Structure formats: C-alpha cells, structure tokens
Amino acid sequence: MEGYVLGPVRAEGDGSRRVVEGSKVAALFALLVTSPDCRCKRKDIAEVLWEGVEDVGDLVNRVVADLRKRLGQESVPHSGKSGYCTLRVPVGDVDLLRFREKVKQAEGLTCKAQFELLGAALEEWDGEDEPLHGLSETGFHLRREELRAELMAAVYARLDAAYKSREVKWLREETEKWFERAPELPQIFRFYLLAHADLPDSQRERLIKKWEKRNGNADVDVQSAIDQVRGESRRPGGVLLPPVPDQLPGGRRKPIGQDELIGDLFEAVCEEQDAGNLALVLISGMAGVGKTTVAENLAGRLRERFPDGVLRGELNGFADGDVRPAEPDEVLDGFLAALPPYTTVTGTESKSNALRSALAHRSVLIVLDDALNAQQVLPLLPGDGTCAVIVTSRNDLLRLQSERKVLFRKMEPLHEADALEVLQEKVSAEDRAKHTMAFSELVDLCGRLPLALVVVARLLEGGARPLHTLPLLVQEMKEERKRAMLDTLDLPEHELSVRAALNCSVRVLNEQARLLLWQLAVHPGPSASWEAVMDLGRAVNEGTRTDRALVDLVAANLVELHGDRYGLHDLVRAFALRHVRPVSDGENAEIERATVRQVLEHQLHNVRACDRVLDRERTLPTGEPGAVRVTDPADLAEAMAFLDEEYPAVQRGIRLAINRRIDRYVWLLPMALVIYQWRRRLLDDARQNLRNAAEAAEAVAGPVDRAMVHRSLAGTHWRLGEYNLAVGNLRRAVWLSEEDRSTEGRLSLARTLHRLGLTLRKQGDRTGAEEALGRALELCREVSDRVGEAAVLNVLGAIDLDRGEHEQALRRCADALGVVERTTERSGLADVLFTLAKVHLARSERDEAITLYRQASDIYREQENWPNEDKVRMLFADVLVSAGDTDAAVRELERVIVLRERMDGEGVRGVRERLEGLR
C-alpha cells in the first residue's frame, strides 16, 4: 500500500484499487492516519465526516467497508464489538508516518546526521499543497494546523542542525526562501540573521529595526543572534570580538585524482566535530606525492565549518637547502599572536598550555605542513573540543599515532588515468591522440608521481620541449633511468626538483636506514619479502638491525609496503642508486657485490625449496643455503603461491645475474624456476632464461648438469611446438650424458632418451621414437628409476594407440600404472591415466574413459599444472557431450576458460563460443 496525507489525500492498495482525493473514503483514511496509533472511534468518524447529521451508523459502516475493500482486510481489519476502526500499515507505506519516524530517529544524532535525516523527512511534504488537501470537513482544520506545526518544528530543527554543522551555503539559500515566505516568524528571522552575518552594517540594522517595529521586542534566541551578528561579546563591557585569523593561502590548485580522498577526510572531520571531538588528520606519503595540495584543498573546503578561523604553521621538516625545521616555540608564537588573550608567556610547555586555553572555547582549523616528527607536532595541538588539525609529513609519525586518535591517510602515486590528466592538462585533444604512446610512456617513467608529472608538464607548457620531440624526451628519460640519474626532472628555476625533494627525505635518515635503502636499490625489485630484506642486512654485518631500519624507511615513505611485500618507487630507486652512498667509495663496491650475491643466493635457495616440492626427482647442485633464510613450503599449493608472488623479482634477479656475469645464478636460477614456468605456461620467459643458462653452464657445470639444462630447454621448445629445436637440444643432451659413465650419467641419459622418444613421436618418427624409448626403458630399469620407467612405458603405450594396437596399448599403460602407483609421483600418475582414458575411449569403453579423464584432470588441478589440465578437460568435454552429459561438459569448459584466462588468454573466445553452443 502507498498513502499520502501531507498534500492531496490519496491511497492505493495492493490490488491497484485507489482511494480518490476528496471522497469520504479519503477523509476516513486521513482521519485514521492522523489519529493516535491510527485508531479512531466510530462515533468520532461520524462527527467529523458527517458533522451535524443524525444517525449515520450505516454510512460509517459503508465507508469503513469501502476503505477495507480498497486497502485490504489486513490494512483495515474488522473491529468486532470494540467500536473502533483501525488502520494497520507499515510505517514506510504512508508519508506522514515516514516523516514522523525520520524526525524521531534524528533525535540524539550528531548535527551532521540530524541535518541529513531531517532533510529526508521534509522531502515527504508536498511543497505545492497544504496537508490534508481536498478535505473540507471542519474537523480537519485543527489537524491541519497541528501538521503545519510539526512541519515548522522539523524545519527549525534542520536549520539549527545546519548552523551547528556549518552547512553555510545551504543555510543561506534556505533562509532566504523561508524569510521571503514568512518573515514574521522569530526562528526564521533568527537563522536568516546568522546565515547572513556578512551583511553591511547599515543594511543589517535596517532589517533588525524593521523586524522589531513589526514584531515588538525580540525573544532571547533572536536577541542572541542580533548580538552575535553585531559582533558584541557576552563578556561585561561589550568588548568587540577580535578579528578571525585566516592564514590559509589563496589561489590553491585543485589536485587531480584526489576527490575521493578529500571527500573522505572532509566527512571524517565533520563527524568528529559534530561529536564534539578534536579531529586530528595526518596525511603522509613520499616526497612529491601532493600532500600539501591535498591538505590545503581540504582546509579550504572545511573553512566554513570553523567560524573562529584558520591557522597555518610551516614546519619545514624536509625543507631544501639550509632551511632548518621549525621549532615548536616559533610556531606557537605565531599562533598565540593571532589569538587572544595575546599571552607573553615563555617556554614551550607554557606556550602550549596557553594555546590550548585560547582554543578551549573556539572552533579553529589548524594546518601543520611538512612535519619532521611527532615532537614538532604534539606541542601545537589543541585539547579536547571542536577544533581540527591537518598535519602533512613524509613520515608516518608513529609516535603521534600511538599517543593521539588520528585520522591517518597515506597518499599513493596517482592512477594512470589521473596521471595522464596531470600531464595533458593543457594539451589539445588532437595532440593527446597524436602522442598517446609517448604520453603513456612518460607517465610510466614518472612513476605516476605528481611532482615528476608537473615537472614534465611544465617543460611542455613552457615551450622548452615542443610536442613533436616527445619521443626524444622519452628516450632521454629511459637513458637517465639506466644511469640512475634524474636530470630531466629537475627545474630549479621553478623550484621543482624530484632529486632535491628526495634528497630532503634521505638526509634525515640514520646510517643503517641509508645503507638499507641503498641495498634495496641494488636489489633488482620490484619487491621483496620481509625475509629477503632481512637477508640484505646479513650481507654486510650480522649485527645490523635491519628490522629497525626497515621500519624507519617504511615510516619515512621511502619504502612502499603493499601487503607483505616491500619495494621502492622507481624514482626512489634511481635516486638511491646514484645519490645515496652509505660508506666511503672504496667500500661501496665490495658491499654492492656482497649485496648482489646475497639477493641472488636468497632467491636461488627459496625458489629451489619450492622446486623440490614440484619435482621431487630432480637434483640441482645449489649447495647449502648458508647465510640466507629459506622458507620451506608446507605443500605444493604453498610452493606455487610463493612462486606466484616472487616470480617478478626472480625474473629480475636472473637479469641481474646476467648483467653482473655471475654464472652460478645465470644457470641455476632458471633451472630452479622452469617447472613452475611450465605449469604457469610462462614459456617465452623460460626459453630466454634457459638459453642464457645453457651458455653459462658450459663454463661452470659438468656434463650431466649441462645435459639437464638442454633437456629443460628442449622441454620448453616442445611445449611451444618447436619440435625441431627440441630434438636438437635433446641430441646435445644425449651426447653430454654419454660422456659421464656414472649412475648419474646413465640416469641423465635415460631421461633424455625418454624426452627424445616423446618428441620424435610428435614428429611422426615412430621408429626413431621406439628406438630411443627402448634404450631409455633399459636404463631406467638398470638404475631403478621407477618414475622414469612408468613415463617411458606410457609413451610406448601411446605409440601403440597411434598404430591402433589397442590391446597392446592397454597392456603397456597397465604396466605403467602398476609402476607409477608404487611411487609418490602424482604428475606421472596423471599422465598414465590420461593415456589410459584415450585407450579405453578407442576401445569404445566410454564409461571407463570418463572415470579416467576425471581422475587425470583432478590430479593436474591438484598439481596446479594448468596447461595439462586445460588439455585434458577440453578432450573430456567432447567425451561428455558424446555421452549426452551436456551439463558436465559445460562445467569442464567453464574451468578451461578460467585456466586460459590465467595463462595467456589464447583460445578463450573459441571456448566461449563452444560453450554458448551447449547452453
């Protein structure tokens, strides 16, 4: 049901039956709604609806029945012998009931919340018509006046909430409308005066005298408002209030991409203020991220809520040049000079107490820009009350956060779209489109840091760099990044310099923090785990408190913490590599070499710990971990998750090893990583890594290990469909394995011949494949390699299947299954089950094939072998369709889509089309 009485009276029941405006049914509906508990005596109904008419019992019964018919018996139940008629509807179904409920809910809320909720309540009123419109019965006149009184009470309450919550613009506009409509109402006149306190004196006095002449002496509330706008104090003698300080600079540039942050902080400050609390905001972030601009824009938006003024203190915590950080004493002197009682006390503690006393009964906004530490800030804070303080700092000020309730926000570099807007703010749409790629590269080179973007934008704006030279500018910055220089982002004539800004952050660090920052710059990045960072400290001195240095760097916003990963902004890395030297030049080279080796050793042993879980049969000559921390994964899922997270850093580590020509890691790191890369189908990376590994292994590894590298490279080519290249590497691996007559050499030869046979089968050379596999089978049995034996038997079974020799294929696969089930090798088991499934399908044993396909795909999923799982499920879906189980086939294809999207996305469209055809 939906009913209205605050304008034209009408209602509509669930069956679309209506109560029409002006009818007796509408009058009864309105009477019930406006009666206590929506309940009215039949006698009262008769007196109001048929005033002066005798014996209207039948009429009352008829109109009640009509209302029940229109709204339903649940809304208008039978009264029995009670003599009452009752309306039972949810509060939300009638405008008056909704209005009263919202007004009631607003009681006891903060002023801001009251303002919002009362606004929602007043929206229930129909501004065009009076309440109970269309009802002419005399009995409704009094009720109409009562409703008008309720309306005005809510209006006054909202005006009061708006005044207390500093909704200045709204209050001015609303009081102008009400004052034009009802200038005689004292409360309307009162709030009009308060909202227009800036009227010229002469105009204001004429207005006051005119009102007093018409209405007589003002009541207490109106007189208080008159005194307030005249600037007269409550203190004896009527001393004029001092001028309100306003130290916020004008002409502020609106920051791009920070509307959400500013809006969030604005709401948080208002909420604290409405609750009568001090709002303490701390905005931190790295140099050049735009903290001051955000703070000043936030202060500008809040200014109207603080009638006693705005104070601003430049703390110069990270100022350039010879400017020293401001002492709290100096800032306190400036604040106290702007606030009565203009004290002349001395000493920081006394001045701090004087500031708190001066602000005790005032509502002042304080901006403290560029704080070095909490010691600078704490003496400058008001006590409890409705003041607010906005602090900016490059440091997270952990002590301040521990001692005071802080609204803390850490600023990050801009999102790409916002960064482009900063760069292109004064660039035409035509030029934006023309140089899209160059602008995108510049955003990346600037690390989306506002200061860097502004420097580049100023270069383009000033004509120093015409737009057609953008590709050249991009190339210059790329070269600078390689040399770890920041010359392009340095405009000292405009006081814009990324290098200078970062230098101010670094120069206040202690020795250990500077050393760790430099080591993190040497680390290839993009991020490192806590354990990896701790190992950096061990590269120099076992006694180094790397944990404390890391806390300092994170708090100083020189190290970024995302989740549990630590990293450097690209510009911080470039600056630190070039301009941070923790010790004398003679020792830096040795520390750098030790740091690089520690990084690579940490990566090698931790990747290898995961690799052992992925392939328990493989051996790598990595040696003992020594002075690095190794995290052993509990299971395969944990190993894959670790590698997922570390992969970008390990890839950069391999590049670092190549650049530094440290052969140990050039070949061992790719080998430790390759199984993971196969399972995640990161084949291009694997191919490139292993090519370098093969070259490095020639210089430092023995024949068996070199054969293993070529075998892994062949496996990568095989997965890429490059079978000729795979065969070439396998023949090289065969030759190397045959050089070693030991057990390890024979095992290497067996594994290589297995892979060679598998590849020759792919090329259609069954004879060559069987020859290689025959030798491999003999060697596997000779060295008791059951996993290898099962794998060879499985390929031989697949060749039998190729020939159509199903019985022989079944026997081979059954033998392979018997061998592999005596091992713990899950991937090998899945391979055999997959081949067996195909054999049973060829024998028209579809039910057995379905069972085996399901088992194989589940194992591949458990092993997180995405490519193999994808292959099996695609074939499995075909079998399920042929069996008439379309729903199961759909589930298999949905999983295939997930897998392909996680990999390179190739073939997703075709699978989707196939899926749609089944649905």
Side-chain angles (χ1 to χ4, degrees):
M1 195 206 83
E2 191 69 34
Y4 303 90
V5 297
L6 297 180
V9 177
R10 64 194 191 281
E12 183 174 328
D14 294 336
S16 299
R17 296 189 176 186
R18 298 180 180 178
V19 172
V20 182
E21 176 185 350
S23 66
K24 287 296 183 183
V25 178
L28 175 59
F29 174 75
L31 187 63
L32 291 172
V33 170
T34 56
S35 296
D37 299 323
C38 295
R39 191 165 180 257
C40 191
K41 290 182 179 180
R42 287 176 173 268
K43 183 180 68 172
D44 295 333
I45 295 172
E47 289 179 357
V48 173
L49 269 59
W50 289 278
E51 184 179 3
V53 179
E54 297 291 336
D55 194 17
V56 294
D58 288 339
L59 294 175
V60 172
N61 290 337
R62 194 177 304 159
V63 77
V64 170
D66 195 3
L67 183 63
R68 183 180 298 119
K69 181 179 179 181
R70 294 172 186 274
L71 300 185
Q73 291 188 10
E74 290 184 0
S75 297
V76 188
H78 289 284
S79 58
K81 298 180 181 180
S82 68
Y84 282 88
C85 181
T86 303
L87 180 68
R88 292 178 182 171
V89 293
V91 169
D93 285 4
V94 180
D95 56 0
L96 175 61
L97 303 183
R98 290 195 296 267
F99 165 78
R100 286 174 172 169
E101 180 66 17
K102 290 171 183 174
V103 170
K104 183 179 179 181
Q105 290 175 354
E107 296 174 3
L109 297 180
T110 63
C111 294
K112 176 67 175 176
Q114 282 185 355
F115 172 75
E116 298 292 344
L117 193 53
L118 288 170
L122 289 167
E123 287 177 0
E124 300 293 343
W125 285 76
D126 189 333
E128 299 298 323
D129 295 295
E130 61 183 3
L132 305 177
H133 181 78
L135 301 180
S136 57
E137 291 84 353
T138 307
F140 286 112
H141 294 341
L142 178 59
R143 294 181 184 234
R144 189 174 286 116
E145 290 304 315
E146 290 172 347
L147 291 177
R148 289 194 186 108
E150 283 190 65
L151 166 66
M152 293 312 299
V155 168
Y156 297 152
R158 193 177 192 218
L159 292 173
D160 186 62
Y163 176 69
K164 290 178 179 176
S165 58
R166 310 299 194 273
E167 296 287 342
V168 177
K169 181 180 178 183
W170 181 90
L171 191 63
R172 289 174 72 97
E173 294 173 353
E174 195 70 6
T175 54
E176 284 173 2
K177 291 188 291 187
W178 275 106
F179 189 65
E180 182 178 349
R181 189 187 313 172
E184 75 283 355
L185 297 177
Q187 290 295 334
I188 295 299
F189 182 65
R190 172 197 170 205
F191 285 112
Y192 181 86
L193 283 179
L194 294 174
H196 296 78
D198 57 348
L199 287 173
D201 291 350
S202 58
Q203 183 179 344
R204 182 181 62 239
E205 291 304 315
R206 284 197 303 272
L207 189 66
I208 293 172
K209 288 179 180 179
K210 181 179 179 181
W211 193 87
E212 289 176 337
K213 182 178 179 180
R214 181 173 55 199
N215 296 280
N217 293 333
D219 62 20
V220 174
D221 287 340
V222 173
Q223 189 59 52
S224 174
I226 291 172
D227 293 343
Q228 187 171 333
V229 298
R230 282 174 172 168
E232 295 182 0
S233 171
R234 297 269 182 182
R235 293 190 295 272
V239 179
L240 289 177
L241 291 172
V244 174
D246 188 357
Q247 299 177 356
L248 197 63
R252 294 179 303 278
R253 175 188 177 92
K254 183 180 179 181
I256 292 172
Q258 303 296 351
D259 289 346
E260 184 177 350
L261 172 62
I262 294 172
D264 174 50
L265 285 172
F266 176 84
E267 293 297 329
V269 171
C270 293
E271 185 175 338
E272 290 295 325
Q273 187 188 38
D274 290 343
N277 301 327
L278 169 70
L280 176 55
V281 175
L282 171 59
I283 303 172
S284 80
M286 68 177 290
V289 80
K291 301 178 293 295
T292 300
T293 307
V294 166
E296 290 182 348
N297 275 266
L298 173 61
R301 186 170 172 185
L302 286 166
R303 188 202 306 248
E304 292 180 341
R305 293 183 59 94
F306 294 89
D308 298 317
V310 182
L311 299 173
R312 191 178 195 279
E314 290 281 1
L315 301 188
N316 298 323
F318 298 89
D320 194 14
D322 298 327
V323 179
R324 60 177 179 80
E327 294 292 335
D329 258 14
E330 301 167 350
V331 181
L332 284 166
D333 287 341
F335 287 174
L336 293 172
L339 297 168
Y342 307 116
T343 180
T344 56
V345 297
T346 59
T348 302
E349 185 175 353
S350 297
K351 292 177 183 179
S352 185
N353 290 334
L355 177 67
R356 285 194 289 272
S357 297
L359 296 175
H361 301 291
R362 289 184 170 88
S363 188
V364 171
L365 175 63
I366 301 175
V367 179
L368 301 174
D369 189 40
D370 195 25
L372 176 63
N373 50 41
Q375 292 90 313
Q376 260 190 319
V377 174
L378 287 168
L380 309 177
L381 300 181
D384 295 331
T386 57
C387 292
V389 182
I390 303 172
V391 181
T392 72
S393 178
R394 299 184 191 181
N395 196 292
D396 290 349
L397 305 185
L398 300 179
R399 179 186 164 191
L400 180 67
Q401 293 191 57
S402 68
E403 294 187 15
R404 303 297 289 264
K405 179 183 177 182
V406 175
L407 300 170
F408 175 60
R409 300 293 186 277
K410 186 191 287 280
M411 289 183 62
E412 304 284 352
L414 297 172
H415 295 297
E416 185 173 2
D418 295 322
L420 276 170
E421 188 176 345
V422 173
L423 207 55
Q424 300 174 335
E425 192 174 11
K426 297 186 178 180
V427 176
S428 69
E430 181 182 353
D431 284 333
R432 290 185 184 191
K434 185 177 180 181
H435 301 288
T436 300
M437 183 64 71
F439 277 121
S440 180
E441 288 188 279
L442 286 172
V443 163
D444 184 59
L445 289 165
C446 290
R448 296 174 284 110
L449 186 69
L451 175 58
L453 295 164
V454 168
V455 171
V456 174
R458 186 64 58 88
L459 278 173
L460 302 176
E461 178 187 336
R465 301 297 300 244
L467 287 177
H468 72 266
T469 67
L470 281 179
L472 180 60
L473 177 61
V474 168
Q475 190 58 39
E476 288 175 9
M477 292 182 66
K478 285 181 178 178
E479 290 300 320
E480 282 187 5
R481 183 72 64 85
K482 290 179 182 177
R483 301 193 305 272
M485 298 171 65
L486 297 170
D487 290 346
T488 300
L489 300 177
D490 184 33
L491 292 179
E493 65 275 16
H494 295 289
E495 297 184 353
L496 294 171
S497 173
V498 173
R499 184 167 54 210
L502 290 173
N503 183 59
C504 293
S505 293
V506 170
R507 69 182 182 183
V508 301
L509 296 176
N510 60 46
E511 182 179 339
Q512 288 193 351
R514 287 172 64 87
L515 171 61
L516 181 58
L517 177 65
W518 182 67
Q519 287 183 300
L520 284 167
V522 172
H523 187 286
S527 65
S529 65
W530 184 86
E531 292 81 5
V533 178
M534 293 304 103
D535 274 351
L536 289 178
R538 302 174 74 185
V540 180
N541 188 333
E542 283 286 344
T544 301
R545 288 306 305 266
T546 309
D547 53 346
R548 291 183 181 176
L550 182 60
V551 169
D552 290 344
L553 290 174
V554 172
N557 288 292
L558 286 165
V559 167
E560 299 172 340
L561 174 58
H562 296 292
D564 57 357
R565 307 284 299 179
Y566 299 87
L568 298 181
H569 188 278
D570 288 345
L571 296 180
V572 173
R573 183 184 301 279
F575 174 84
L577 281 174
R578 176 73 175 181
H579 302 287
V580 177
R581 284 292 179 264
V583 293
S584 61
D585 286 341
E587 297 179 28
N588 278 330
E590 183 56 38
I591 293 176
E592 186 171 358
R593 281 193 293 272
T595 297
V596 169
R597 285 192 170 271
Q598 189 77 344
V599 168
L600 297 175
E601 195 73 4
H602 176 93
Q603 289 187 340
L604 175 60
H605 285 285
N606 279 277
V607 172
R608 177 61 180 138
C610 296
D611 182 54
R612 287 191 189 96
V613 179
L614 272 61
D615 186 346
R616 301 183 185 278
E617 300 299 315
R618 213 155 56 109
T619 58
L620 282 176
T622 54
E624 294 300 316
V628 297
R629 304 164 194 254
V630 179
T631 303
D632 288 315
D635 52 30
L636 186 139
E638 191 173 301
M640 293 297 284
F642 178 89
L643 291 171
D644 285 339
E645 193 168 45
E646 289 288 337
Y647 185 73
V650 177
Q651 277 292 103
R652 289 196 181 191
I654 293 170
R655 299 276 81 73
L656 177 64
I658 292 169
N659 293 336
R660 299 291 180 120
R661 298 181 179 179
I662 311 177
D663 288 337
R664 167 176 166 80
Y665 307 104
V666 174
W667 85 271
L668 282 175
L669 262 177
M671 287 302 299
L673 194 61
V674 67
I675 301 298
Y676 165 80
Q677 289 174 316
W678 287 350
R679 294 193 182 185
R680 288 294 188 255
R681 198 166 173 77
L682 298 165
L683 301 179
D684 289 336
D685 288 348
R687 179 173 54 191
Q688 184 58 50
N689 290 349
L690 290 168
R691 283 171 176 169
N692 291 307
E695 185 178 337
E698 288 294 328
V700 295
V704 169
D705 290 330
R706 281 147 53 201
M708 180 170 52
V709 177
H710 284 285
R711 193 163 59 245
S712 297
L713 183 53
T716 305
H717 285 306
W718 190 88
R719 286 165 172 80
L720 285 165
E722 300 167 348
Y723 301 119
N724 288 334
L725 292 173
V727 168
N729 277 279
L730 288 168
R731 295 202 184 281
R732 171 70 175 165
V734 167
W735 180 78
L736 288 166
S737 300
E738 288 176 337
E739 281 189 22
D740 193 315
R741 301 294 182 181
S742 67
T743 301
E744 289 77 13
R746 294 198 302 277
L747 180 60
S748 173
L749 181 58
R751 290 176 177 174
T752 305
L753 289 168
H754 162 239
R755 295 301 307 180
L756 181 59
L758 188 63
T759 309
L760 291 173
R761 175 197 169 222
K762 275 287 185 181
Q763 291 183 311
D765 183 0
R766 291 177 187 166
T767 302
E770 286 183 305
E771 181 182 343
L773 291 167
R775 289 184 63 196
L777 186 58
E778 290 178 7
L779 287 166
C780 286
R781 288 169 174 168
E782 181 183 330
V783 297
S784 301
D785 178 14
R786 288 182 176 176
V787 172
E789 180 184 351
V792 173
L793 287 169
N794 187 51
V795 182
L796 288 169
I799 292 174
D800 292 332
L801 178 62
D802 294 340
R803 290 199 185 98
E805 298 173 356
H806 299 160
E807 292 297 328
Q808 177 66 12
L810 188 62
R811 284 194 295 272
R812 293 269 200 187
C813 290
D815 290 344
L817 186 61
V819 174
V820 79
E821 285 181 335
R822 297 199 299 273
T823 73
T824 59
E825 174 55 33
R826 300 285 290 168
S827 291
L829 174 60
D831 293 342
V832 175
L833 292 172
F834 180 35
T835 306
L836 261 175
K838 291 188 286 186
V839 172
H840 280 292
L841 191 65
R843 289 162 55 91
S844 300
E845 298 164 347
R846 191 165 55 194
D847 290 344
E848 290 85 346
I850 287 174
T851 300
L852 293 165
Y853 272 125
R854 183 171 286 114
Q855 290 174 356
S857 59
D858 287 347
I859 293 174
Y860 284 136
R861 181 169 187 169
E862 161 209 307
Q863 295 291 303
E864 296 200 34
N865 192 329
W866 293 348
N868 282 8
E869 184 188 350
D870 169 274
K871 177 175 64 176
V872 174
R873 290 190 188 276
M874 281 294 292
L875 293 173
F876 189 20
D878 288 338
V879 177
L880 290 167
V881 170
S882 69
D885 193 350
T886 305
D887 290 342
V890 165
R891 290 193 294 273
E892 295 301 313
L893 293 176
E894 286 174 341
R895 174 63 181 168
V896 169
I897 289 174
V898 170
L899 290 169
R900 295 194 177 188
E901 287 177 341
R902 287 179 179 177
M903 293 186 285
D904 51 17
E906 183 179 346
V908 169
R909 182 177 177 181
V911 180
R912 288 190 190 280
E913 290 174 354
R914 185 175 172 189
L915 192 59
E916 290 305 314
L918 293 176
R919 285 174 170 164

